[in-house]
Amino acid sequence: MDMSVFDLFKIGIGPSSSHTVGPMVAARRFLIECGPLDKAVGVEAALYGSLALTGVGHATDKAVILGLMGETPQDIDPDSVDDKLAVVELDGKIRLLGTHEVPFVPRTDVVLHKRETLPEHPNGMRFTLKLANGTSMSRVFYSVGGGFIHAEGEAEGRAAAPAAKPLPYPFDTMEQLLAHGKESGLSIPDMLRANERVNLSDEELNAGIDKIWHVMRDCIAHGLVTGGQLPGGLNVKRRAATLWKQSAESVDRANDLPHDALHHVSLYAMAVNEENAAGGRVVTAPTNGAAGIIPAVLRYYAEDCRPTDAVKGIRDFMLTSAAIGMLCKKNASISGAEVGCQGEVGVACAMAAAGLVAALGGTNEQIENAAEIGIEHHLGMTCDPIGGLVQIPCIERNGMGAIKAITAASLALKGDGTHFVSLDSVIETMRQTGADMQDKYKETSLGGLAIHVVTVNHPAC
């Protein structure tokens, strides 16, 4: 497996990892690879397939402009985005990588090809740099889910540099990972830690995981106190803060119901995805559209499961979750534009379920069982965002996915790990189901809820 935990969990901004984070990274990489920009006289970004059909709702047009300016998802201040874009719009110019200025009109230099898809993936984009001598440089990139990108003809690989030496526990399937565990006597998080230590010290690994968790935790906290209306034209009101306040103000504790803790989990997940929909700072886990599930279940673990060592538990949770995400990405997809929402919410649910079992001391077989349950009961889930926005049904769907993850973990922990359908089998089923799914149900907003709900307030409808 040629991925790292930090490939699956990346700090960025909303509203989409494949439609915002990936295109921003691709645009910047294109200009870097073009070399000196002093002879450039113009630049164009052409978006295809799902990027064109739902790009405006997912802020893809804005993301490629920011990438051309040299911005990165992990470093840009979300509060600065509108001002940066307004300067480009007003001046009719863009400063490429922040150094060389050329004419640029967003309405004409970002082109949406809604009826054309490039061959390697539904999320394709072509960047063209125009030179003073009348020639141009052009390259195609694909955003393949979770912020991962690759250039046309380039083997799809990990976002970070390859390992300097072989991993102690290489795996491409869960069967292989379980076999390593039986032979070594190690748990899945311990084997993932050993693999990460090929490139990182324990201190670096722990610091990186802790930082990811802190960003997730802060995202929940901000979402639970921020009200108002989400951008995009649907006039969707943020609900997490109001519902959280109502819960906090309840004084009749005698009438609290057993499911109130799970109500809080739903609010944690919704808070994150409202932040995402507003273009805020989130962690891709493994995608932005499903970014609320893992943070919600992690907070449930830390606050409601009474862990004896929460720090270790959270780290084991993240490492184990990453292992499941790696398997899903390698053997199927985490792209809603490729396999529907089963590859986003379904995979995030499986990752969270497996992580929770690991944090609670479950066996490797119980971890595998929990992940399998998480995906199995999302098979066939479509990606049909109304208005092309990561709002309906995405926000509530994260709350439901978090609850399913806890249920899957509970079922697995109460068993001995033996079960009928293997995780490898259900991942392959997800891949085949995605291949069989009609394109209108794969992040194009051409089917499902996207066309059966009246959205008179949205300009695209």
Side-chain angles (χ1 to χ4, degrees):
M1 185 67 67
D2 57 354
M3 281 179 271
S4 162
V5 61
F6 302 116
D7 293 331
L8 269 297
F9 299 111
K10 296 187 282 289
I11 298 171
I13 61 171
S16 173
S17 50
S18 61
H19 287 58
T20 312
V21 174
M24 190 186 302
V25 172
R28 181 174 181 271
R29 177 181 158 184
F30 166 69
L31 290 182
I32 290 174
E33 293 180 352
C34 282
L37 301 173
D38 56 310
K39 300 294 191 297
V41 296
V43 67
E44 179 182 280
L47 308 177
Y48 297 82
S50 179
L51 292 183
L53 288 164
T54 63
V56 174
H58 287 70
T60 311
D61 52 342
K62 299 177 181 178
V64 296
I65 294 171
L66 292 169
L68 294 172
M69 295 169 70
E71 301 290 350
T72 62
Q74 66 270 24
D75 294 322
I76 191 170
D77 178 1
D79 293 332
S80 72
V81 168
D82 288 343
D83 288 342
K84 291 178 184 295
L85 294 171
V87 170
V88 174
E89 182 73 37
L90 290 172
D91 292 350
K93 297 178 182 179
I94 188 170
R95 190 174 291 276
L96 302 179
L97 297 182
T99 62
H100 180 69
E101 194 170 75
V102 299
F104 188 84
V105 179
R107 291 185 300 279
T108 57
D109 290 322
V110 178
V111 184
L112 307 180
H113 295 280
K114 296 184 177 182
R115 297 185 179 182
E116 185 178 353
T117 300
L118 298 180
E120 294 184 22
H121 193 278
N123 290 336
M125 63 202 106
R126 176 181 284 108
F127 299 101
T128 302
L129 186 69
K130 303 172 186 178
L131 304 177
N133 63 4
T135 63
S136 64
M137 303 173 67
S138 183
R139 198 170 190 194
V140 169
F141 289 87
Y142 295 93
S143 181
V144 296
F148 288 85
I149 65 165
H150 68 85
E152 184 178 41
E154 180 179 75
E156 183 182 336
R158 58 175 289 181
K165 58 184 179 180
L167 301 178
Y169 303 103
F171 66 99
D172 289 323
T173 65
M174 177 54 81
E175 182 180 12
Q176 292 172 354
L177 192 56
L178 290 174
H180 283 312
K182 288 179 180 179
E183 183 177 352
S184 67
L186 295 177
S187 68
I188 287 176
D190 285 343
M191 288 187 285
L192 265 290
R193 177 173 288 275
N195 284 352
E196 294 289 340
R197 287 189 62 194
V198 168
N199 293 316
L200 301 170
S201 68
D202 262 330
E203 291 75 16
E204 291 170 326
L205 177 60
N206 289 337
I209 293 174
D210 293 347
K211 181 178 180 180
I212 292 292
W213 166 232
H214 290 159
V215 174
M216 289 179 169
R217 184 187 62 191
D218 291 347
C219 185
I220 294 174
H222 193 266
L224 289 177
V225 297
T226 305
Q229 187 170 287
L230 294 172
L234 290 183
N235 300 327
V236 172
K237 292 183 179 179
R238 297 177 66 141
R239 290 182 291 159
T242 299
L243 293 173
W244 180 252
K245 184 178 180 182
Q246 290 175 355
S247 177
E249 290 176 348
S250 174
V251 295
D252 190 8
R253 297 301 179 189
N255 289 325
D256 280 357
L257 298 173
H259 63 250
D260 282 349
L262 295 186
H263 174 61
H264 291 168
V265 172
S266 295
L267 296 186
Y268 302 154
M270 290 173 62
V272 170
N273 278 80
E274 287 177 352
E275 285 291 290
N276 178 63
R281 173 75 65 219
V282 297
V283 174
T284 299
T287 68
N288 283 28
I293 294 172
I294 288 172
V297 179
L298 264 172
R299 180 160 167 173
Y300 165 79
Y301 163 74
E303 295 189 359
D304 293 294
C305 293
R306 299 182 295 278
T308 56
D309 187 348
V311 173
K312 180 181 184 302
I314 289 169
R315 292 169 180 168
D316 285 350
F317 186 118
M318 297 288 281
L319 288 165
T320 304
S321 294
I324 304 304
M326 292 173 192
L327 289 169
C328 292
K329 185 182 185 307
K330 182 174 184 63
N331 298 313
S333 176
I334 58 172
S335 167
E338 192 169 20
V339 297
C341 201
Q342 59 176 351
E344 297 201 32
V345 165
V347 171
C349 175
M351 292 170 66
L356 182 57
V357 170
L360 293 174
T363 66
N364 290 346
E365 289 72 22
Q366 289 172 324
I367 289 170
E368 189 259 358
N369 188 14
E372 184 276 325
I373 294 171
I375 293 180
E376 181 180 338
H377 299 290
H378 284 91
L379 287 174
M381 179 174 278
T382 59
C383 183
D384 51 354
I386 296 176
L389 299 167
V390 192
Q391 298 178 16
I392 303 172
C394 318
I395 294 170
E396 286 182 353
R397 190 169 281 179
N398 274 257
M400 300 299 291
I403 299 303
K404 282 187 177 183
I406 294 171
T407 301
S410 177
L411 288 171
L413 283 167
K414 288 179 169 55
D416 62 3
T418 59
H419 55 107
F420 195 82
V421 180
S422 71
L423 176 62
D424 291 330
S425 294
V426 82
I427 290 174
E428 172 59 17
T429 302
M430 179 177 70
R431 186 193 67 78
Q432 293 181 8
T433 302
D436 292 339
M437 190 181 292
Q438 295 182 48
D439 287 345
K440 67 181 182 179
Y441 298 120
K442 294 191 285 190
E443 209 165 359
T444 59
S445 290
L446 297 176
L449 287 175
I451 65 169
H452 290 109
V453 176
V454 177
T455 53
V456 294
N457 292 324
H458 193 273
C461 300

